[in-house]
Amino acid sequence: MSHASAAMPAQNLKGIDGTTLGLYAATVFLWGVSWIGIRAQLGVVAPEMSVLWRFLLAAALMWVWVLATGHRVRFPLADHLRFAAVGCCLFSFNFISFYYGGLSVPSALLSVVFSLASVFNLGLGFVIFRQKVEPRVALGGVIGVAGIVFLFWPEITGAGFNAAALKGLGLCVMGTLFFCSGNMISTVVQRRGAPLLSATAWAMTYGCAVLLALNLLRGNAFIIEPTLKYIGSLLYLSIGASVLAFMSYLTLLRRLGAARAGYATVLFPIVALTVSTLLEGYVWTPLAVIGVVLALAGNVLVLRRPAAK
């Protein structure tokens, strides 16, 4: 949800119609429960291999969609370089970071860290595009980060220090930064007029190439865990959370601009925390409640459009 697209055309800021609301709801639900699927993939199969299987299937489905609808498939080298960069950020390193982070961080907290994408965009926008940061937005960023500190406070201090959880937090932060970088590059690709379906299919393909190389370098076994839990989560993550959710989100990015589409990340943790509480037995503590409230409040403050004067 890059602030790089904050200057999108005024037509993207019109009222939200039924189709857009449907895309928004689909994005929130599909990604909101995907964190459970990521946790279900961890164990027997190396995380890099699970991500590879996920996007091999997703890319194959995307190419069927592209070819069946007759979309453009040939692009100049400069566009392919951008597709490759999006693939590295959105469809490989981003997910590898979160899969490894999920080894020691509950699925609900993965989504809370990811919800700070809007906050991280502030720093990237300032560093890369020299965009001015409003005091209100800066305050929202500080509040959001404070929320994450509260969530992980037992691991940060005291006898409950847990280095594994802190490592997981760091990996989740890294994954979110990859996601934000991919958003910025994707915005540039869309502004250049590349069809969304074709651009996504190429980006997933390049992401798979990177994942294949990583698995070969690490000597990972090319296996699939033959259980209903693993295969079911793989199908959901490939079809629902990758093809359908990414297409819904990237369409929202084009329709609404990054700022308004970014509200989806505020709602992901609400869905994920609810599901994790019901299915994983996530235990709420006073600090966890304060942390979630602060993280969500910080995001709302960052993304809220100032009232017209």
Side-chain angles (χ1 to χ4, degrees):
M1 283 84 38
S2 163
H3 288 268
S5 58
M8 292 187 75
Q11 59 264 31
N12 286 334
L13 301 179
K14 292 181 179 179
I16 299 177
D17 58 21
T19 301
T20 302
L21 283 175
L23 291 168
Y24 200 89
T27 302
V28 170
F29 175 78
L30 291 170
W31 271 347
V33 301
S34 68
W35 309 102
I36 299 293
I38 288 176
R39 290 276 295 182
Q41 297 252 288
L42 302 173
V44 176
V45 183
E48 299 96 334
M49 188 60 63
S50 288
V51 182
L52 174 60
W53 295 140
R54 171 178 179 172
F55 284 109
L56 276 176
L57 178 55
L61 293 172
M62 287 299 302
W63 278 116
V64 170
W65 195 349
V66 168
L67 296 175
T69 53
H71 278 72
R72 176 185 170 196
V73 297
R74 294 187 176 183
F75 298 89
L77 177 60
D79 282 336
H80 277 282
L81 292 176
R82 295 184 183 92
F83 297 155
V86 172
C88 287
C89 292
L90 288 187
F91 303 123
S92 55
F93 295 126
N94 164 31
F95 284 97
I96 290 173
S97 300
F98 273 104
Y99 274 60
Y100 272 105
L103 291 172
S104 56
V105 175
S107 64
L109 298 191
L110 293 176
S111 69
V112 176
V113 178
F114 180 71
S115 76
L116 289 184
S118 57
V119 176
F120 295 151
N121 277 327
L122 297 176
L124 289 177
F126 175 76
V127 172
I128 298 174
F129 298 103
R130 292 293 185 266
Q131 293 175 337
K132 181 181 178 182
V133 179
E134 301 175 14
R136 168 185 58 81
V137 174
L139 176 62
V142 171
I143 292 174
V145 172
I148 296 299
V149 172
F150 272 98
L151 274 171
F152 285 87
W153 190 251
E155 285 77 31
I156 294 174
T157 63
F161 180 84
N162 188 329
L166 288 180
K167 179 181 177 181
L169 171 61
L171 287 168
C172 293
V173 169
M174 184 184 302
T176 305
L177 287 172
F178 277 123
F179 176 80
C180 295
S181 300
N183 270 267
M184 292 189 172
I185 304 167
S186 180
T187 298
V188 173
V189 169
Q190 292 193 42
R191 284 179 173 178
R192 287 178 57 83
L196 181 60
L197 275 173
S198 302
T200 305
W202 274 116
M204 283 188 178
T205 301
Y206 284 119
C208 287
V210 172
L211 290 165
L212 176 61
L214 286 173
N215 279 288
L216 290 172
L217 286 172
R218 291 181 62 85
N220 293 329
F222 283 72
I223 59 173
I224 291 179
E225 184 181 347
T227 63
L228 180 61
K229 176 182 177 182
Y230 185 88
I231 295 175
S233 62
L234 176 62
L235 290 174
Y236 174 76
L237 291 171
S238 299
I239 300 170
S242 296
V243 175
L244 298 180
F246 266 103
M247 290 305 298
S248 297
Y249 172 71
L250 293 175
T251 302
L252 283 177
L253 198 65
R254 183 177 59 195
R255 282 182 170 226
L256 301 178
R260 295 176 77 186
Y263 274 106
T265 64
V266 179
L267 300 180
F268 294 160
I270 297 175
V271 176
L273 286 162
T274 301
V275 174
S276 183
T277 301
L278 295 174
L279 299 183
E280 295 183 324
Y282 177 71
V283 179
W284 289 86
T285 65
L287 281 179
V289 173
I290 294 173
V292 170
V293 170
L294 288 176
L296 298 182
N299 274 282
V300 171
L301 197 58
V302 167
L303 296 169
R304 181 177 60 83
R305 292 170 57 80
K309 296 182 179 179

